[in-house]
Structure formats: structure tokens, C-alpha cells
Amino acid sequence: AVCAVSGTAFLYHDYCVIGAGPAGLQAAYFLQQAGRDYIVFERSHAPGSFFALYPRHRKLISINKQYTGKSNSEFNLRHDWNSLLSHDRRLLFRRYSHDFFPHADTMVRYLEDFASLLELRVQYNTAIIHVTLERNGQAWNGHYFLLTDQDRKSYKCSSLLVATGTWVPNVVNFPGSEYVEGYETVSVNPGDFAGQTVLILGRGNSAFETAENILGVTNFIHMVSRSRVRLSWATHYVGDLRAINNGLLDTYQLKSLDGLLEGDLEDLAIVKDKKGKLHITLRFYLENRNISAGIDSITLPQDELDNFATRAPYDRVIRCLGWKFDFSIYNRSLRMMPGKGNIKKYPQIKPSYESRGTRGLFVLGTASHSVDFRKSAGGFIHGFRYTTRAVHRLLENRHHGVPWPSTAYPVTQLTNSIIKRVNEASGLYQMFSVLADIILLRENATAFEYLEEYPIGVLAELETQTGRKAPHGLFVVIMEYGRNFSGADKDVFYYNRAVGEAQHAWQSNFLHPVIYYYKRLPTEREMRLRPPEWPLPRPDAIHHIVEDFLTDWTAPNAHILPLRRFLENCLSTDLRSFFAESCFLFAFTRQKLPPFCQQGYMRMQGLMGSEGLRRHAVQAGLLQDYILTDFSGDRLPDSHDRSRDQLLRDQVIPVRPLQHLVNAKDE
Amino acid sequence: MSTPRDRWISCSVFLLFCASSIPRPGIAGLRQEPSPQRYFSGLEAGRASLAFFTPHVSAGAQPFLEQIESSAEALQDYGISVVKVNCPKGDVSRYCGKENALRKAYLFRGNILIREFPTDALFDVNSIVANVLFALLFNEVKYIETLADLQNTESVLKGKSNMVFAYVPATGTAEHRAVMEAAFVYGTIHQFVLTTEAALLKATGSDDPDGSSAWLLFCHCQRATDPAQPCRRTALAQPLTLLNIHRHLKLMGAPLVTEVAEDPEKVSTVHLQLGLPLVFILSQRETYEADRRTAEFVAWQLLGKAGVALLSRDLVDLNVLHQSNVALKTPEEGMPIQYLVLEDTDEIITLVEDKNKVKQIQEDEEKEEEEEDEDEKENNNQDIQDDQVVEAVSRDKKRELPLEHVLVLTEETFRSSLSEAARTVVLFYASWEAVSLAVLRSYSEVADHLKGTPGVLLSRVNCWDWPGICTQENVTQFPTIKIYGKGEKSMTYDGMWGTEEIISFIMLSRVSCPLKLATMGEAEGYLRGEFPPELSSHHHTSLLGVFSAATSEAREAFEEAGNILSGHVMTGMYFEDDDLALSRKYSVSPPALLLARSGRRSVEGISLPKQSVQDVVQMIRYELLDVFPEITVQNLPQYLQLAKPFLILFSDGDISQMESKEMLKLAKGTPQQAFVACWLNLKKTPVGYGILRTYFAAVPSLPVLVWVNLQAGGQVFQFPPEQSITEVNILSWLEKLQAGLEIPSCTLSEEDWKPPLPAYDFLRMMETAVPELPPHTSHHPGDMPAPHPPESPGGDTAIQEEPSQESMAGKAGSPGRDLRGTAPRLAAKEKQGRRHSEL
């Protein structure tokens, strides 16, 4: 679509997506499936340009599990951190690589296939260099987005999806920083480091990956950064240092010359001596000094403190400080602001992934990680493939009147639908404590609607964001780690770290399902004032399903039974299942029926049960066996003899009260 | 006592406590000496002390030292001090110099060495106390090895003092310690004799064959005068503990028969104080001597079990029957004294022994009950499965289902399998879901029944394995059965989840519905029950829609209705030409329905007015209902949908022809059929007994006719049993009933189905443990869910600590991933009858 406004020709699309990386392509897929008018702009000639260069040593640290012992495709996505979501089963990453940690080139190839097989509309070689707004009352959001590419070509869109990732390398400026090599250009050939002494700035996966590569050929490697090392298995955050890269920690702690230091990089200075060796000093010593006077005039820390840790000169200093979002292309009117503190590399967005500054601008993918930085997986493919779908669903509702997809069930399926999801859902699992399944109760709690993977940060806005109503209360199903379990300095291997009994489930440490019950939707104020470390405000009732070693929450007594009791008590009803015979008895002896009989037996879909099962139920004392009684009558030949009836009456076997079945309600 | 030295010692002890960062509470009685010289110079004559010498450096390193330290307190009670003597470096004196001396402990009395103990004799506190006392009480406790030794000792003691004979399986045990401790107290009064020889055990009359348990006898040698006779013996019936021995010796020391001359209510003896009953032999002056002998005889019998007192009735004014000869006073407070008339002494003994037994049993039971109560309180049975279907399936899970005739479909094979057979039946289920597993059991029976049926393939899809297929096939509930025909829309089964019902549905659904009949002959044959070969076994009501050229709209509705009812009802369709021969034959005008009920020759004709599809379905369903049906578990829902009161004849077996005829008349004669007249065969539907019991508490004489207002009010009325079941009688009863002249037998409970048991209140637990969780900021403070989570206690939450790792580790039954001790834990769970899958 081309429209001419004030002399400039604009190409118009409802949706513009910037970036054809995993998040951009994932968004494109959903837009295409929904039949929306969209375009993806990619500055490179192919998708996934970040992966074409990074990681420099080409080993992805996202797992690609070939086997899980299960065929459940949704479950298997829990252990596939590379695939994007699509209906096409060819586009599963395990078909591309057999490596547990695949090669980055495979990712590039995968993304190319994803774009081409699904025929996604990507305009390559188009670098958007400027984005501005055009006010217009008719527009979806009161303005259009005007995009300009490197050839001064302009595009106009109603909604802008930014999936540019974080690709601008972080640099620090200090005296001598010109001697520092960047991760993006440093040699990846270990031979180039033979016999050298190396200092690495930074303590993330790229820093350790770089160290790992040259560990065997260097004299020693020192790593310096402001904060302590955060091991991902202690923090349960995949962005922290992964064990696959942490060979240097091993050699450090075994005193094999390599080492880790903590210090503020801003205070550093590097001076080069005549032999080309790099010396670490402090910025403090350089102030008010003439650097040109040469190295001899500069104070080194070891001059005053002769055991200064980094007194040995280095051959190379490598900067591996990560990347940040490219804020430069946005006009001031878009108010794309960096976050505060440790999320300053990301733009400020709401929990709905919409920009805080501009309505209609959504940030997807890695750049949207401020929502769950250092918590969940929103900055990684296996997490943002789900948040991208969530954003798409929000947009479908907002702009196209398509409410959030939901399935309606009778209340008898309540326990089942939760058990099904917590056992297989990948979105809940990867995006734990961020995406939640929402169960909206219908009147009188006889039925409910099930919404999958809604961002809980905007729970208060549920009705407007999804187009579904929640007047009768709701359940929120999420997954959580134990509150005090994860942390850089936590011992995650202590004895009795795992809870085994359902009654202590709330103390579970490993990822486990938690169900919150609210009698009404929490307000925004309640969301704001929620307790620290709580993903949600105080519920009316809460249930934890006890952590499970196999993450298999289908045990009838340890998992399903306590969940059923919780649901029953929230809804004040009886959610047990009954054989048709029991329903028959209830139909004649009680004016009301339990939901299972009401929704099954009464609709001529009663559970007859096999004879064997009936016997088991009788043995368990949960079903009365009347055949025994019948038998006593059988022995008497004439069935119409009145005196016989007297006999029968005497032979009636006393009723053992069906404690759990009938009398329980009196308690 | 030299004061300066004492000060020095306390000073050094003080230093020790300062030096050691972990002061141990159990070593209060342990003394420290800096050197052997110091120790020996400080020994007091006559005072016993147990010393061990340790080199300066490795103090406390040897494990036995810990045991010695902890026994210090126990030994202190017997005036024995335990001293740790530090050997200065280079000391080559007797106790410090030798390497092996350091592995010994030395017992001194004053500064005389009494014994040296190798450390392996001092393995725990019991062995230390036992062995030390044994050494010190060398004279008081005689160790013997043969029966002759025992007899010698006995004869020496006769007429002088009593003897306590103890057998312990080994020295150094807890029993040995108990005997030694008792000897420490009673050693001067009685002669103690100890043995570890099992042969002696047998010789003294124990019935313990392997000599594994300790045994103690009190030998009454003081009274023994006849040198030829052995002393009388009284065995200790309880386990050998210090308390039991003490109690036993106290009882043996009490006078055999107490003579009393006061009100038995006021009498108290050592027996009563020790919790044993006291037997009074009521005596009179005339029989006093005989009574005294009786009392002594009884007392010997009851020695250790009860006390015996001789009460002279002449001296006390007793307000009891003259012929009473025995009284029993029990130690319980406030229990009245029992006065009895007994024939012989055996009765007294039985009386006492039974009383003790009853008491023992009661105590045991009480203990058990208490334990049970505690269990109940703890978890309220919340973790016991109370869902009959789930429990039944769990109990059946070990049995392998015969599913060889059911094809397992996967994502790969699903599509291709559907094209293999003419009809593919697919059960969609979830392997973790109890209801669908219950249906899978019926389904396996269906498969077994239908094996070999041409054109029908039974298969299943586990939605837990293949969620993709289930979503794609729009299966949102478990279980779901769908029938796929080649090139047709799939059919979803909507009937009862029972073997017969599913079989019948599959069979019926094989023919197209409605079946199009081309000729009049075919139509008439159809009404006679001449069906396509697939339905040869079908013998239910069949329906025929008759249409003419002018009735295409009605025909379409009928066709659609036939589709909907496919599998449940056999429908046919005949398109008439202008002469309307069939219509005329059954005197209907098209569009019309002809019903051929199974087992009946007649064909009913019903006109089919222009109606919506749903109305036609409803109408057909209604027409299929019987006038006077036998109500069963399977068919009740159909009749309940009529929303009418029920008039049910409960019968044990078939009903008589007479009753059947009368009831049928009644049912047919009632205008608009204001109620459902039916009968229930208790033989076929035994659960009917449960209904009758609810109505009448006990099963009344059968047959019984009952009127139940299921929909309105729930009153249940019983037809007067004395009247015979005839149309007239019933009608007049019903009239009275409508007029409110009858009293209902019962009214059905109106109660809602509430949660059977409470849930775990995790919110409360979290509030207690996590102080940061603020109280609810709800706008409706009173509007809380059923299990009211109490507000966090105002203000003082801060003092409640978060559960530390230790407290979690200590919590019973939170085993975590620690596999150690799994077997005993599992065993313990078994005992509780709880089931948990995770270790």
C-alpha cells in the first residue's frame, strides 16, 4: 500500500516489525497466521544477523535436548530452547542439530528456513535509521509510526513491534581504554594467545566463553568486574554464568594461576610500557598528571602496595561487557528511555511489553527482558517465543476485536485442565512467574473459561486486555521457585532441599505450580502494593503443588488430591467423580447432585465402570455393595411370599455408612 | 580441704571453658588435673575416682573419652569422681609414660588402684557405670558361675538375710548397670548374686529358652529355716530397670501380711503407693488363726502383684454384708472398696490378676487411641483419597489391561489409520486421568466383544502423549470417543460410559441414519425388523419417517434429527409417492413417524408437525420412553429429564403380572402423565436397597410402592402396605396425597454438595512464616473464602522467624532427595496407610 502524504511517498502496513531475529520472525509468524497486514525490516541480507557473528566462539548455550522420554510435543518444548513456535513440525530445532549445545551457524540456518518455509514477509537490507510519530486521530493509537531506512525510503505503520535485540556493545571509557580489544573483534584463534597474560573485563557468559577458549594456552587469565560471579545453577537464571563456560572458575579455585577480581571498571586505567605490556593502575593516580610524560612518571598501585593483585603486566585486555539496546533511531517524541539500574541496557516497557513512552509500540525479544531480568527467560528464545505470542494476542484483542483465545469447560474438568497444563505447558514453565494461565469462573462456578499464558504483570487489566470478563472470581496458575532458594550466594545443594509431602508443599524450592485464587480481579493498586518477591498480590487462597523430582505432577494422592481439595474449598463444592450407580442413588435420595453427576450422569453420560473397578471401590469403602444384600434374598425360592419379606428384613446386612461419600458433608 | 588448691582447680576448669569454644553441657562432673603428680597428691582416702591419662596434645581425641566424660555425672551420684589427668610432655611415669597405659582407665579408692579397665570394656555410659560399680561393690555383689555356688550362697544366707539373684546376658549392659545401681543402695541389706551363665538361668526356673533377657529373683532366705528346702523365690515380672528393681525390692521388703484395725478406706500401704491393689481378708475373732494362715498363703501367691491385709471385723465397724469375706482396694483415687463373698483363695488370685490384666489392656488401648487421635488432629484425613473413581483406578493400576484389540495411535499414524477401516473408533484419554482410565477399562471390554467385526477398528490416543492430535480433533475433555467414517464427519459419542452402551452405539452407527428405504416393501420389512445385516442383533425400537413430495422441510429436519440420534436410535426414512399407500395402511398423513417397538407387533403412528430439528429430536426421545419402565441405573436420566414426580414400585425380582397390569393401567390412564410410573428390580439394580434404606431406615416388606417428589420438595410417601396394589387404590391414595392428607415417610436432603474435607491452608502457613506478607487489603473484609485464612497476628509477626534450613530438615517427613534411610521411611508410611509417590 502506497499513500502520498505531503509529497512524501509512504509504504503503509498495519504492523511494522523491526528486526528479523528470532523475536521478529516469531511475531511475523503470528501476524501471518492471523492474516494481518505486516512487514518485517531487516538490515542484513538474511535473518538472525546477530547469530551470524555471536557468540564469537560459535557455541550456543541454549539446550537442544534430543530425547526426553516423552512424545508430548508441548512438554518437549520445555527442553528445546532454540525452536520458535509454529505449526510446522519440520521447524523443530532438533531436526537441525544433534548437539546438546548447537553451533550458532545452525541457528542462522534455522532462522533462514523459518522465514522462508513459512513465507514470512521480510524486507531484507533495510536498516531503519529513524522512527518518528505522526499524530492522527484516526490512527489506532492516535498516531502513526513513520520509519525511514538507510535509502531515505519511508514507511508508515499503525503499530510498531521492535525486535532489534541488544546489539550495541557496552564499552567503558577510562584512560588507556584504547588498548582494550572488544569481544566483537577479538581473535578466536587460541594460537594468538599462546604464552600471553590476559585480562578480561566482564563476568558474563561472553567473558567466560572467551576465557574458556584460551584457557589452555595463556600464562594466566584474570577477570575483573564490579559484581560477584553469578552461577546460573544457583540463581536459576539462564542468563547468568552457565556451567558449560565456567572452566576458569575451576582453575581459579584450584589455584592454577587464573583468577577473578572484583572492582569498578570506571576506576581503572591502563598504561602501556615501552615493551608494549599493559599495566593496571587507577584513574585516581592519573588525574592531574601529564600522561605524555611516559609511563615512568605514572604511579602504579604496586608502588604503594607491593602486593597489589594485578601488579603483573598484561599482554592483552579484552572487553566482554555485553550489549545494549540501540536507542539512537527513535525520535525524542517516542520517549524511548533506558531503564534504571541494572536494566539500563533495555528500554522502559510495561509488563504488557508496550513502551512506557509511546502507545502502540511494543518491544519484543531480548530487548523486552526488563520485565523479568535476572528472573525468568524473557530475554531468551525459549522465553520470548511465548511473550511474543502473548503480545500478539493482546494486539488481536485491541485492534481486531478477537478476544484472547479461551476454552470453556464444565467445572468437573477444573482439576483436569490444571493438571494437564502444569504437566505439559512449556510457556508456563519457561516463563515462570511471568506468564500465567487464568481460569475465569462462570456464575455459580458450574463452568469456567481457560486462558493460557497471560502476562501476570497486567492482571489488573485482564478484562480490557483480553476481552474476557471475570466477574465471578478467578484462579491464576503459575510456576515458581521457592522464595529464598535462588541467589548468587545460595547453597542450592543443601540436605533436605526438596519437600516430599503435599502438606508442606508451600516450602517447595524447585520450580513447582502455584495456584492463586481471587474472588475478584485484583486492582492495579493491589498489584503495585503486592508483597516484595511476590509475583501477585495476596490471594484469597493459595495452593502449592509439591515440587516433583520428575516435574510430573500426576500422582493421584500427592498432587491431584490436594489440588482438588483446594479447588473444592475455593468454590465450596464437591469435585469428586462418581460411578453412575452412586449418581443413581443420589438422584433418588438427595435433592441436589454433585457436579460430576449433574454434568455427566444426568446428561446420560454417567460412568458405568467395569465390575473390577466397582469391586475396588467397594473394598476401599467408597462404594456400598448392595449385591450382598440381594444375595440373602436370592436363597429364598418364592419371591412373593410375604413372610419371606420379614426374613429378608432381618437378613439385611447393616449399612456401613459411606463415610466419605455421604456423611462427610455433615462435618 | 586445702583451699588454695581448690581455687587453682576451678581456675583451670575456667580456663578450659574459655579455651574450648564449644562448652559441652554433659561434662559438668568431669574434673581436670594438669599432671599425675597433682592428681595423686589430691586423692582423699576412701573416695573412689576413675582416672584416665591423656597426652597433652590429643585431649579428647579418643572416642571412649567422650563416653567417659558423659558418664561422669552418673558416677558422681555414687560419689565417684571422674578425672582427666593431663600428661605433661616428656612424662615417663607409670601412667603417662607407657603408650598402652593411655588406652586404659584406672579406678582408685583413695590412692589404691582397684582396677584398670581396658577401654573396650567402657564402650558406653551403661558399661562404664556397670563396670565401675561392679569393681567397687566387689563384696556386696557376688559373681557366681555354677549352680553349686548358688546353693552354697543360699545355704549360708538362710535365716540371716535375703538374696537378690540376677542373671544378665552380658556385663556392661543396661540391665547390668541397673542391677549394680540397685546393689549400691540395697547391697548392705540383701546379698546380691550376679551371673552371666545361661545354665543358671534355667536352673532358677526362668522359661526364657535362649537366655537373651535378663532375670531377677528375690530369694526369701531370711525366713527360710529348713536347710533342706531352697528359699522361696519371687521373680521380677517387669524388665530389669533400676526403677523396677527398686519397686520389687520395696515390695519384698514390706511385711507379708499387714494387720489392720481401722477403716479400709483410710488404710494405705506400700502396695497402694506403688500402684498395686490391696486385698483385705476380713477376719473374726473366732476364725482369726485360720484367716491368718489364709492371708499368708494368699500373700505368697500375690507377692509382687498385690498386698494382703488382715482386717479384724471385731475391731472395725464395717457397714457391709455380714457374709463378705474379702475386700479389694484399688490404687485409683476415688474408687470405692469392693466387698466380696468368695469361695476359695484361687478366686482372690484370679480377681487380682484379671484386674491387673484389664488395667493393662485399658492402658494400652488408651495409648493407642491417643496416638490415633493425634494422627487425626494432625491431618484430618485430608490426604486419604475419597474419590471412588480415582481410588478404584489406583487400586487397579497394577493390572495390565487386555488392550491387544485396541490400536494405539500416534501423531504419525493417526491420519493414515483413519482410512484403513470403514469405521475407526477412537478413544481419546489421558493416562493420568482416573475417569478416562475407568472408561479405558470398559473400552477394552468393548474391543474384546467387537473383535473380528468387519469394518470396525478400535483405537486409542493418549492425549498426554499426543496433545497435538487431541487439540486438532477438538478434544477438550477426557475421555472422548469419536467415530470416524471414511469421508464422513466424525461422530462424538455422547452416551453412558459403559461397555454395553458403547458397543450398541458403535454397532448402530455403522448404518447410515436415517436409513433411506426405496420401496414400500422395504419400508414394511423395516417395520417388521428386517434390518441390514450389520444390525442383525439389534432389537430396540425402530423409527420410520414417512414423507411425501410436499413435505421436504419436515424431511430435512428429520434427516438432521436422525443424524443427531445416530447410534442411539434406529431411524429409517421412506419417501412416498402420490398414492400414500403406507400412510393409509397405518392411518397417518405424511409427514409422520411410525414406531415399531421392540418385542411388540404393533406399529404406532404419530404425525410429525413442522418443527425445528431440536424439537424433532426431543419428540423422538420422548416417544422412545416406556409407559411403565423398569428403572435402571442406565435409563434413569432419560426419565429424570421429564421433571416429574416418580411413582416407583420396588420389587425383589420381577413384578407379578397383576401388579404390572394395574400399574400399566394407571400409567396409561393418567391424563398428561403427571408422573413417571416405573418399577425397580432390586435383583437387577441392588442399589435400590440403598434408596429404600434412606427412605425407611430399614428395608420394608417388598414390593413397596413409593411416591417421590424428586423435583419439588423431595417428600417421599409410602403406599400403605396393607392395601393391595390396584389402580383404584393407588388413585385414591394419590388423591389424598395431593390433598396433603398423607404424611411423608421422609424428605430428601436439600443439602448442597460442599467440599468433603478442608484443604491445606497454605496461605495461613505462609503468613505465619513470612512476616512480609501483609494482611488482606480487600475492600470487602468479611468476604473471605470458605476456609477463612486468619489475619496475621497484628504487630508481632516480626518475632516469628522464617523457617530455617535446620527446622525444615528436622521436620518429620520432609525427606527431600536424600535417599538414605528410604526403606524405613517407606515402611513407616505403609504403616500409616498414606501414599506418596515421591521419596
Short mmCIF file of all heavy atoms in Angstrom, two decimals, chain A residues 417-437:
data_model
loop_
_atom_site.label_atom_id
_atom_site.label_comp_id
_atom_site.label_asym_id
_atom_site.label_seq_id
_atom_site.Cartn_x
_atom_site.Cartn_y
_atom_site.Cartn_z
N SER A 417 -7.97 -29.76 33.91
CA SER A 417 -7.36 -28.80 33.00
C SER A 417 -6.12 -28.18 33.63
O SER A 417 -5.16 -27.88 32.93
CB SER A 417 -8.37 -27.73 32.58
OG SER A 417 -9.00 -27.19 33.70
N ILE A 418 -6.13 -28.03 34.95
CA ILE A 418 -4.93 -27.51 35.61
C ILE A 418 -3.81 -28.55 35.56
O ILE A 418 -2.67 -28.25 35.22
CB ILE A 418 -5.25 -27.10 37.06
CG1 ILE A 418 -6.20 -25.91 37.07
CG2 ILE A 418 -3.96 -26.75 37.81
CD1 ILE A 418 -6.69 -25.51 38.45
N ILE A 419 -4.16 -29.78 35.89
CA ILE A 419 -3.14 -30.83 35.89
C ILE A 419 -2.53 -30.99 34.50
O ILE A 419 -1.31 -31.10 34.34
CB ILE A 419 -3.77 -32.17 36.37
CG1 ILE A 419 -4.08 -32.09 37.86
CG2 ILE A 419 -2.84 -33.34 36.09
CD1 ILE A 419 -2.86 -32.01 38.77
N LYS A 420 -3.37 -30.95 33.49
CA LYS A 420 -2.86 -31.08 32.11
C LYS A 420 -1.85 -29.97 31.82
O LYS A 420 -0.74 -30.24 31.36
CB LYS A 420 -4.02 -31.00 31.13
CG LYS A 420 -3.60 -31.00 29.66
CD LYS A 420 -4.84 -30.88 28.76
CE LYS A 420 -4.54 -30.20 27.44
NZ LYS A 420 -3.81 -31.05 26.50
N ARG A 421 -2.21 -28.75 32.14
CA ARG A 421 -1.33 -27.63 31.80
C ARG A 421 -0.03 -27.65 32.60
O ARG A 421 1.03 -27.42 32.06
CB ARG A 421 -2.07 -26.32 32.01
CG ARG A 421 -3.11 -26.04 30.94
CD ARG A 421 -2.49 -25.66 29.63
NE ARG A 421 -1.75 -24.39 29.72
CZ ARG A 421 -0.91 -23.96 28.80
NH1 ARG A 421 -0.69 -24.66 27.70
NH2 ARG A 421 -0.29 -22.81 28.96
N VAL A 422 -0.12 -27.86 33.91
CA VAL A 422 1.11 -27.79 34.69
C VAL A 422 2.06 -28.92 34.32
O VAL A 422 3.26 -28.82 34.54
CB VAL A 422 0.88 -27.76 36.22
CG1 VAL A 422 0.05 -26.55 36.60
CG2 VAL A 422 0.25 -29.03 36.71
N ASN A 423 1.53 -29.97 33.74
CA ASN A 423 2.40 -31.07 33.36
C ASN A 423 3.02 -30.90 31.99
O ASN A 423 4.10 -31.41 31.74
CB ASN A 423 1.64 -32.40 33.42
CG ASN A 423 1.65 -32.95 34.82
OD1 ASN A 423 2.69 -33.31 35.34
ND2 ASN A 423 0.49 -32.96 35.44
N GLU A 424 2.32 -30.25 31.08
CA GLU A 424 2.90 -30.17 29.74
C GLU A 424 3.23 -28.76 29.28
O GLU A 424 4.14 -28.60 28.48
CB GLU A 424 1.99 -30.87 28.72
CG GLU A 424 0.66 -30.17 28.50
CD GLU A 424 -0.24 -30.90 27.51
OE1 GLU A 424 -0.09 -32.11 27.36
OE2 GLU A 424 -1.07 -30.23 26.87
N ALA A 425 2.53 -27.74 29.79
CA ALA A 425 2.69 -26.41 29.22
C ALA A 425 4.13 -25.95 29.28
O ALA A 425 4.77 -25.98 30.32
CB ALA A 425 1.81 -25.42 29.96
N SER A 426 4.63 -25.50 28.15
CA SER A 426 6.02 -25.03 28.10
C SER A 426 6.10 -23.54 28.45
O SER A 426 7.02 -23.10 29.11
CB SER A 426 6.59 -25.30 26.71
OG SER A 426 7.85 -24.75 26.60
N GLY A 427 5.11 -22.78 28.01
CA GLY A 427 5.13 -21.33 28.28
C GLY A 427 5.12 -21.02 29.76
O GLY A 427 5.84 -20.15 30.24
N LEU A 428 4.31 -21.76 30.51
CA LEU A 428 4.25 -21.56 31.97
C LEU A 428 5.57 -21.90 32.61
O LEU A 428 5.99 -21.30 33.58
CB LEU A 428 3.19 -22.49 32.59
CG LEU A 428 1.73 -22.17 32.42
CD1 LEU A 428 0.92 -23.17 33.22
CD2 LEU A 428 1.46 -20.78 32.89
N TYR A 429 6.21 -22.91 32.04
CA TYR A 429 7.42 -23.48 32.63
C TYR A 429 8.62 -22.57 32.35
O TYR A 429 9.38 -22.26 33.25
CB TYR A 429 7.61 -24.86 32.00
CG TYR A 429 8.64 -25.75 32.61
CD1 TYR A 429 8.33 -26.52 33.72
CD2 TYR A 429 9.90 -25.88 32.05
CE1 TYR A 429 9.26 -27.38 34.26
CE2 TYR A 429 10.84 -26.73 32.58
CZ TYR A 429 10.51 -27.49 33.69
OH TYR A 429 11.43 -28.37 34.22
N GLN A 430 8.75 -22.16 31.09
CA GLN A 430 9.89 -21.31 30.74
C GLN A 430 9.72 -19.93 31.32
O GLN A 430 10.65 -19.34 31.85
CB GLN A 430 10.02 -21.18 29.21
CG GLN A 430 9.94 -22.48 28.44
CD GLN A 430 11.20 -23.31 28.55
OE1 GLN A 430 11.92 -23.22 29.54
NE2 GLN A 430 11.45 -24.14 27.56
N MET A 431 8.52 -19.38 31.19
CA MET A 431 8.28 -18.02 31.65
C MET A 431 7.63 -18.05 33.03
O MET A 431 6.62 -17.40 33.28
CB MET A 431 7.39 -17.27 30.64
CG MET A 431 8.09 -16.99 29.33
SD MET A 431 9.66 -16.11 29.57
CE MET A 431 9.07 -14.57 30.24
N PHE A 432 8.26 -18.84 33.92
CA PHE A 432 7.71 -18.98 35.26
C PHE A 432 7.62 -17.62 35.94
O PHE A 432 8.47 -16.76 35.74
CB PHE A 432 8.53 -19.97 36.09
CG PHE A 432 9.97 -19.58 36.26
CD1 PHE A 432 10.36 -18.80 37.33
CD2 PHE A 432 10.93 -20.01 35.37
CE1 PHE A 432 11.68 -18.43 37.50
CE2 PHE A 432 12.26 -19.65 35.52
CZ PHE A 432 12.64 -18.85 36.59
N SER A 433 6.57 -17.45 36.67
CA SER A 433 6.30 -16.21 37.42
C SER A 433 6.08 -15.00 36.52
O SER A 433 6.04 -13.87 37.00
CB SER A 433 7.41 -15.89 38.43
OG SER A 433 7.54 -16.96 39.32
N VAL A 434 5.99 -15.19 35.20
CA VAL A 434 5.73 -14.07 34.29
C VAL A 434 4.44 -14.31 33.51
O VAL A 434 3.56 -13.47 33.47
CB VAL A 434 6.92 -13.85 33.32
CG1 VAL A 434 6.60 -12.74 32.33
CG2 VAL A 434 8.17 -13.52 34.11
N LEU A 435 4.36 -15.47 32.90
CA LEU A 435 3.13 -15.82 32.20
C LEU A 435 2.32 -16.78 33.07
O LEU A 435 2.89 -17.65 33.74
CB LEU A 435 3.44 -16.48 30.86
CG LEU A 435 4.17 -15.61 29.83
CD1 LEU A 435 4.35 -16.37 28.52
CD2 LEU A 435 3.42 -14.31 29.58
N ALA A 436 1.02 -16.59 33.05
CA ALA A 436 0.17 -17.41 33.90
C ALA A 436 -1.05 -17.85 33.11
O ALA A 436 -1.51 -17.16 32.21
CB ALA A 436 -0.29 -16.61 35.12
N ASP A 437 -1.54 -19.03 33.47
CA ASP A 437 -2.84 -19.44 32.94
C ASP A 437 -3.91 -18.85 33.85
O ASP A 437 -3.75 -18.84 35.07
CB ASP A 437 -2.96 -20.97 32.93
CG ASP A 437 -2.22 -21.58 31.75
OD1 ASP A 437 -1.56 -20.82 31.02
OD2 ASP A 437 -2.30 -22.81 31.57
#
